Amino acid sequence: MKTPTNQELIKRWYREPAPLLPLLHAFHDRDGFISDESLRDAAVGLKIPLADLFGIVTFYHHFSRNPPGQIAPRVCMGPVCCLEGGKQIIEELKDEGAQAMPCAGRCDDFVPVLKGHCVSVGVSSRTLEARPPPLPPRNPGGIEECVFAEIRTPGRYSIEGYCRTGGYEGHRRAVKEMQPSEVVALITDSKLAGRGGAGFPTGLKWKAVAEAPGTPKTVICNADEGEPGCFKDRAILDFDPHAVIEGMTLAAYATGAARGFIYLRYEYPGTFNVLERAIAEAESAGFLGEEVLGSDFSFRIHLRRGAGAYICGEEGSLLNSLEGKHPFPRNRPPYPVTHGYENLPTAVNNVETLASVPHILRNGANWYQGLGMNGHAGTKVISLSGDIQKPGNYEVPFGLPLKTLLYDWAGGARENRSIQSVTMAGLSGGFLAGEDLDLTLDETSLRSKGSMLGAGGIIVFDDSRDMVEAARSAMAFFAEESCGKCFPCRIGTQRLTERLNGKAGPMELGKWIGEVKDIGSAMKAASACGLGMAAPLITDSLMKYFPERVAQHVEP
Amino acid sequence: MSKPNREKLKNDINSVPTDVQPAAITLDGAVVTFSEGETIYDVAHRHGIDIPTLCYDPRLDAFGGCRLCIVELEGTRNPVASCTTKAAPGMDVRTATGEIEKHRKVLLEMVASENRELDVNPLRGYASQELTALVERYEARTGRFNGKRSGASNTVDENPFILRDYDLCISCYRCVRVCAEQEGDYAISVMNRGFDTQITTEFNGILKDSACTFCGQCVQTCPTGALADKKALRAVNLPGEIEKTRTICPYCGVGCSVDMLTKKDRLIGIHPAMDGPANQGALCVKGQFAFDFVQHPDRLSTPLVRGGDGQLRGASWDEALDRAADGFRAVREKYGRHSIYGVASGRAPNEAAYLMQKFIRAGFGTNYIDNCSRA
């Protein structure tokens, strides 16, 4: 096949919605890096100032500007992988230009190494192999699931497999028999809330979009799963992509949206292929496209691949990224429900949220609510990883005791070890330890400990781990991923990292704690988005649960 | 004509607003009104409350980056940035609680910790003292939060106008925003992210190779002196106090207000007048940087005429004008009236341009008249 020219690639993309990322990926795939000439052509073709375009490309850490570029191995150095061989693999692959990448969402099957569009996995460079990711383990109690109810059925990823167990039934029923407002009401009654971490009631969000003036409206599936220790969205999309597509079409029907995007993180190239195929299948089957199932409802989904930026999971950054702008978060208000993609009403929903919707359509609001425990509604997928016998994605009823998950479901610590601490919300909820591990998995319980459930990543550290080092590595991640827009986060994550790695800061404990606390509280109060507000939970919880280790670190 | 009925007028005026309750917020305990679209910062500013900011420039879209302008808003979990939060009826805002002021001090200590130095020469630029002034106001020169410094000065960009001393940059992006929003040049942007953020141009090159027009707007909005006026800095060691004199830029007919900076009788630099009615702080490269001609030794101070030996010599205006008139007359007699062509300078205002065309048309009888601004 003839190699396409810059102009051919620009012509392919410039009329498409959100063309910048796919065009840059097309250059990246063709040349292995993005040349000056390609950027000059793209700036003219897409009418983006060249200086801005250059700045945007430097923002994403997977876009290369020079050879070896795209084919240089990216080795996961997430909180689990750096303890399980990541460092060694980087060393072993040094000659190929190996570089570290932040958590790549394979914490249940480490260590992922990304080369171009290929992920291989292994604990040393000699054992690296491309293998399918693990299925979510079943819970031992046989507790009823929602998102995972059918995910283990073989062939579920294909449209035939999906339809075999009731797939697209909710979609068909909604389009043929229900008013959009009835879909909104059903989701509102189910008490489904955002599963990406913010926990905003989904029904309310859809209602706001439906009622907001301005068209076309947009539904966005946020699949930029970047939180270290979170790999649930990958599992859902890999094994049950049609559930997410059906969820998106229902969201579109309920809100009156005509276009949809899936914003998928760069680190999931296999998932990209799964989704591309699934979208094509759904289009051929008439579930997507013009006049769906003979109705006057039309909806298309466009798949967009990110390029390596944790902040693009923040919805303002995600919207700017799609629009081809510098991916800084947006000031809120206004919110995306009224001023989202291209400043028009937009529902941004997490993968897990959308995947729950078809089940709720099929089984009803009361059924979904009833899946929770002790008055909490619904379920949450927890990505459990680290020093634990059986890591993996577990769908838990809200309100399940943490210790039930850790010990009864996942087998507890490894042999001869005990659990020292766990993180919450990936890294964003900080650490929990000691008596505070006696809690239930729901926001009320977690907030009472000063933490949060977030996207549902829990990383376990056993008694062999150095918690100051764990905190340093977590803070270094936030510093690396801070976008640089707001002062408290840009400077704060840097200063806290320096204080945790001992490279700067007072050598006297009282002063050290004073500085770390002051930086942390300014970050929590003043940061422009969740990254800067959450990062100091790492230092706060470190000082709370491990004061002796902190003292030893500062005054050895 | 009867005298106006003052009582009736008063009643009329008073009757207008009684049926519409003006929108109001509570600002530090006082109920104040606001207009649709005003931010909390705008309202506070209008009422003389000096909320600190570093990323704010009234000419630019609110950015919400420095977070110094945070205020407490009743009913929200966290403080909000007053520059990006629109006032809404019933808001209860506290602009300077102990907690807020403490966060501001910490933020300023953090900002101070990332720069090579805080005290910069005011000749660097119009806004160059902003950070220093806030650090003083909050007594934030404490040396806390030391660590790596941010920004890297660009030492290879050898242009005559703009010093790119990014060791002093605090990533407020005012330069990037003024270049895009005010000038429409989009010459500078942001590279990398987080603490490695760096102000850049296309391909991180030099300004001469970028879309930069050297208008100097980035220099004048920079709150730390990271971008600095190289021409003004030539006068750092010149004795004397810096004095400012308001005048109008002599270059074109727009009439931009400028403040001439002088030391004794020496013109050393130009600041745009932020309150200039025609320019509101904007200037072009000529108005900003092209002032050396004023006191240049080569500048003509009398008319010159060429003597019989072909050399130029000083002359009176009368003599020079006579010589010019003789020349025009001779050309017209020899080649006809259309052999004369007039070009009015773009520096001339409308009135002078009008006189010029009148002079060419009535005086010489030709329509060959143009203006250099047409090109």
Side-chain angles (χ1 to χ4, degrees):
Chain A
M1 211 175 77
K2 202 174 134 273
T3 310
T5 64
N6 281 355
Q7 292 311 325
E8 284 165 350
L9 292 175
I10 290 166
K11 208 173 152 198
R12 157 74 183 85
W13 287 107
Y14 86 106
R15 281 188 196 284
E16 295 273 326
L20 179 62
L21 281 171
L23 178 61
L24 292 174
H25 281 302
F27 293 145
H28 209 224
D29 291 344
R30 185 192 61 187
D31 302 331
F33 63 99
I34 302 176
S35 68
D36 287 5
E37 192 195 340
S38 297
L39 280 184
R40 285 184 200 281
D41 289 345
V44 174
L46 300 186
K47 298 188 173 66
I48 301 173
L50 184 54
D52 285 0
L53 184 53
F54 170 73
I56 290 167
V57 168
T58 64
F59 190 92
Y60 298 102
H61 55 196
H62 286 307
F63 278 142
S64 309
R65 297 269 296 113
N66 300 296
Q70 195 200 25
I71 53 149
R74 274 91 162 148
V75 182
C76 180
M77 284 290 278
V80 175
C81 291
C82 73
L83 304 174
E84 302 289 351
K87 284 176 193 163
Q88 186 198 333
I89 295 175
I90 289 197
E91 196 56 37
E92 288 163 357
L93 298 179
K94 211 162 54 183
D95 294 343
E96 296 177 45
Q99 43 187 281
M101 69 175 163
C103 178
R106 193 77 179 245
C107 325
D108 51 347
D109 185 26
F110 34 79
V111 173
V113 176
L114 178 64
K115 272 174 92 170
H117 287 247
C118 196
V119 176
S120 45
V121 188
V123 289
S124 90
S125 65
R126 286 178 309 283
T127 60
L128 284 177
E129 57 168 343
R131 61 173 180 245
L135 272 168
R138 281 179 200 279
N139 71 64
I143 293 178
E144 191 174 7
E145 295 168 314
C146 168
V147 178
F148 284 172
E150 300 288 346
I151 203 165
R152 302 171 196 90
T153 313
R156 173 81 176 172
Y157 64 90
S158 72
I159 196 158
E160 297 82 36
Y162 184 66
C163 289
R164 221 175 289 141
T165 43
Y168 288 108
E169 258 173 32
H171 175 54
R172 194 185 299 272
R173 215 182 90 224
V175 172
K176 293 210 181 263
E177 297 166 24
M178 292 169 83
Q179 292 298 317
S181 58
E182 291 175 282
V183 179
V184 172
L186 178 71
I187 297 303
T188 308
D189 290 346
S190 75
K191 297 196 173 161
L192 177 66
R195 298 292 182 242
F200 191 84
T202 307
L204 281 184
K205 186 182 274 187
W206 290 5
K207 184 162 184 278
V209 175
E211 288 170 357
T215 54
K217 296 177 183 180
T218 305
V219 168
I220 295 175
C221 170
N222 184 349
D224 193 47
E225 180 174 56
E227 183 71 39
C230 287
F231 43 97
K232 69 185 178 69
D233 295 344
R234 190 211 64 216
I236 295 169
L237 291 168
D238 278 345
F239 297 113
D240 206 0
H242 284 287
V244 178
I245 293 171
E246 187 182 359
M248 285 181 77
T249 57
L250 287 163
Y253 183 72
T255 57
R259 59 188 177 190
F261 293 101
I262 300 176
Y263 189 99
L264 181 70
R265 70 180 305 203
Y266 181 89
E267 292 81 353
Y268 294 166
T271 313
F272 188 92
N273 297 338
V274 170
L275 281 171
E276 209 167 38
R277 177 188 145 146
I279 291 169
E281 284 177 331
E283 278 174 2
S284 319
F287 296 124
L288 286 175
E290 301 300 313
E291 297 177 350
V292 170
L293 304 175
S295 70
D296 56 2
F297 166 62
S298 299
F299 180 62
R300 298 201 89 91
I301 293 179
H302 309 274
L303 180 57
R304 293 290 176 263
R305 187 182 186 197
Y310 169 68
I311 198 63
C312 287
E314 194 279 339
E315 57 187 7
S317 291
L318 188 156
L319 290 164
N320 281 339
S321 175
L322 275 181
E323 289 182 19
K325 295 177 179 155
H326 202 87
F328 282 152
R330 294 180 176 180
N331 295 314
R332 300 147 63 95
Y335 295 93
V337 289
T338 55
H339 295 73
Y341 180 67
E342 293 182 338
N343 260 336
L344 290 164
T346 301
V348 185
N349 289 121
N350 174 256
V351 171
E352 183 187 344
T353 317
L354 290 165
S356 310
V357 170
H359 296 276
I360 297 171
L361 252 284
R362 212 152 43 238
N363 300 318
N366 287 336
W367 167 82
Y368 183 74
Q369 269 201 47
L371 294 178
M373 292 168 74
N374 302 324
H376 299 285
T379 65
K380 177 79 193 85
V381 176
I382 301 288
S383 300
L384 183 62
S385 65
D387 302 324
I388 189 93
Q389 297 268 3
K390 286 183 269 178
N393 284 303
Y394 294 91
E395 183 170 8
V396 305
F398 270 110
L400 184 81
L402 171 64
K403 285 191 167 168
T404 306
L405 172 65
L406 292 177
Y407 294 99
D408 302 348
W409 292 26
R414 290 168 180 168
E415 212 172 321
N416 300 323
R417 290 285 164 206
S418 60
I419 293 177
Q420 178 180 203
S421 176
V422 303
T423 68
M424 280 291 157
L427 294 175
S428 292
F431 303 109
L432 288 172
E435 288 175 3
D436 281 350
L437 294 177
D438 282 313
L439 51 73
T440 55
L441 293 167
D442 53 80
E443 285 301 337
T444 330
S445 176
L446 278 156
R447 296 268 174 202
S448 74
K449 315 283 185 201
S451 184
M452 58 187 171
L453 195 50
I458 297 180
I459 307 169
V460 179
F461 293 90
D462 70 24
D463 56 351
S464 70
R465 306 299 185 188
D466 173 3
M467 293 313 293
V468 171
E469 169 54 23
R472 182 211 59 79
S473 134
M475 196 58 74
F477 167 81
F478 288 122
E480 169 80 23
E481 298 296 336
S482 169
C483 76
K485 175 178 175 174
C486 84
F487 288 20
C489 175
R490 179 177 61 84
I491 310 171
T493 52
Q494 171 71 22
R495 291 291 177 260
L496 291 179
T497 306
E498 288 163 346
R499 273 138 194 78
L500 289 167
N501 69 19
K503 293 215 174 116
M507 311 284 279
E508 186 198 313
L509 187 61
K511 279 191 180 162
W512 190 95
I513 290 173
E515 283 200 2
V516 170
K517 281 193 170 162
D518 280 356
I519 294 172
S521 54
M523 286 171 75
K524 280 186 276 183
S527 290
C529 86
L531 195 167
M533 291 177 191
L537 291 186
I538 291 288
T539 34
D540 285 357
S541 55
L542 179 74
M543 292 185 291
K544 176 176 171 188
Y545 297 115
F546 305 100
E548 283 150 24
R549 245 325 262 128
V550 170
Q552 202 185 356
H553 166 70
V554 181
E555 295 176 351
Chain B
M1 211 175 98
S2 64
K3 268 172 63 176
N5 182 337
R6 289 195 166 275
E7 206 50 38
K8 183 175 177 300
L9 263 181
K10 219 165 131 188
N11 282 340
D12 284 353
I13 290 166
N14 287 341
S15 73
V16 177
T18 48
D19 49 350
V20 187
Q21 201 64 11
I25 63 172
T26 307
L27 194 61
D28 292 335
V31 176
V32 298
T33 58
F34 68 92
S35 333
E36 170 100 33
E38 273 190 306
T39 63
I40 295 173
Y41 181 88
D42 293 334
V43 181
H45 186 72
R46 208 157 39 71
H47 285 86
I49 298 173
D50 186 8
I51 297 179
T53 69
L54 280 170
C55 68
Y56 183 80
D57 179 328
R59 300 170 297 165
L60 306 177
D61 290 346
F63 186 65
C66 76
R67 315 307 286 181
L68 286 172
C69 76
I70 53 167
V71 293
E72 271 180 21
L73 174 60
E74 189 64 41
T76 60
R77 198 170 54 187
N78 274 322
V80 299
S82 61
C83 71
T84 58
T85 308
K86 294 242 171 22
M91 277 182 169
D92 186 355
V93 176
R94 288 172 298 278
T95 65
T97 62
E99 193 76 0
I100 291 283
E101 289 285 277
K102 186 178 173 213
H103 291 320
R104 286 175 180 159
K105 178 172 176 168
V106 168
L107 285 173
L108 284 163
E109 289 174 293
M110 284 162 72
V111 175
S113 76
E114 66 171 327
N115 276 6
R116 184 186 71 212
E117 64 195 89
L118 288 173
D119 302 302
V120 299
N121 195 291
L123 286 175
R124 281 187 173 239
Y126 175 86
S128 62
Q129 307 301 301
E130 277 185 27
L131 173 61
T132 322
L134 280 181
V135 166
E136 295 303 325
R137 175 173 152 191
Y138 280 89
E139 298 173 355
R141 201 188 287 263
T142 57
R144 291 175 91 208
F145 309 135
N146 69 46
K148 196 175 145 192
R149 287 185 186 139
S150 68
S153 294
N154 186 325
T155 50
V156 296
D157 197 339
E158 289 179 356
N159 71 80
F161 305 126
I162 298 173
L163 179 69
R164 302 171 72 192
D165 196 1
Y166 296 129
D167 286 4
L168 306 183
C169 177
I170 58 170
S171 300
C172 68
Y173 311 125
R174 276 161 69 167
C175 53
V176 177
R177 288 147 57 215
V178 83
C179 188
E181 293 174 33
Q182 281 286 102
E183 287 296 311
D185 285 340
Y186 297 91
I188 42 182
S189 63
V190 185
M191 189 171 89
N192 305 331
R193 63 187 186 205
F195 204 70
D196 296 327
T197 289
Q198 180 77 42
I199 303 301
T200 189
T201 59
E202 56 195 61
F203 308 119
N204 200 22
I206 61 173
L207 290 174
K208 193 162 65 64
D209 298 338
S210 76
C212 176
T213 63
F214 292 95
C215 67
Q217 288 285 289
C218 54
V219 168
Q220 305 300 358
T221 194
C222 178
T224 66
L227 291 167
D229 179 342
K230 277 188 184 171
K231 296 200 77 170
L233 283 174
R234 295 178 305 185
V236 165
N237 296 320
L238 210 64
E241 292 295 304
I242 303 167
E243 285 183 62
K244 277 191 181 189
T245 310
R246 175 63 55 91
T247 186
I248 303 289
C249 171
Y251 268 103
C252 76
V254 170
C256 296
S257 299
V258 296
D259 286 323
M260 292 195 309
L261 307 186
T262 50
K263 277 187 177 177
K264 297 196 173 147
D265 59 353
R266 188 84 202 156
L267 174 60
I268 56 171
I270 301 288
H271 276 175
M274 295 300 161
D275 56 348
N279 58 320
Q280 295 179 343
L283 280 184
C284 72
V285 59
K286 293 193 282 185
Q288 177 62 66
F289 292 118
F291 57 85
D292 282 352
F293 73 93
V294 176
Q295 289 171 317
H296 198 280
D298 289 350
R299 184 177 176 186
L300 298 184
S301 51
T302 65
L304 300 178
V305 297
R306 217 173 281 283
D309 57 356
Q311 297 298 308
L312 289 167
R313 62 170 171 79
S316 71
W317 278 106
D318 278 348
E319 187 191 356
L321 286 170
D322 284 347
R323 281 284 287 274
D326 289 346
F328 278 123
R329 207 175 284 123
V331 166
R332 192 173 65 164
E333 275 161 17
K334 194 167 173 190
Y335 300 105
R337 58 194 169 109
H338 291 310
S339 61
I340 291 167
Y341 169 57
V343 188
S345 166
R347 290 178 61 176
N350 268 345
E351 294 79 358
Y354 176 82
L355 286 175
M356 175 77 179
Q357 65 82 31
K358 198 80 179 171
F359 173 63
I360 296 288
R361 287 194 168 113
F364 294 110
T366 177
N367 282 326
Y368 288 167
I369 170 71
D370 212 333
N371 187 293
C372 78
S373 307
R374 210 171 66 106

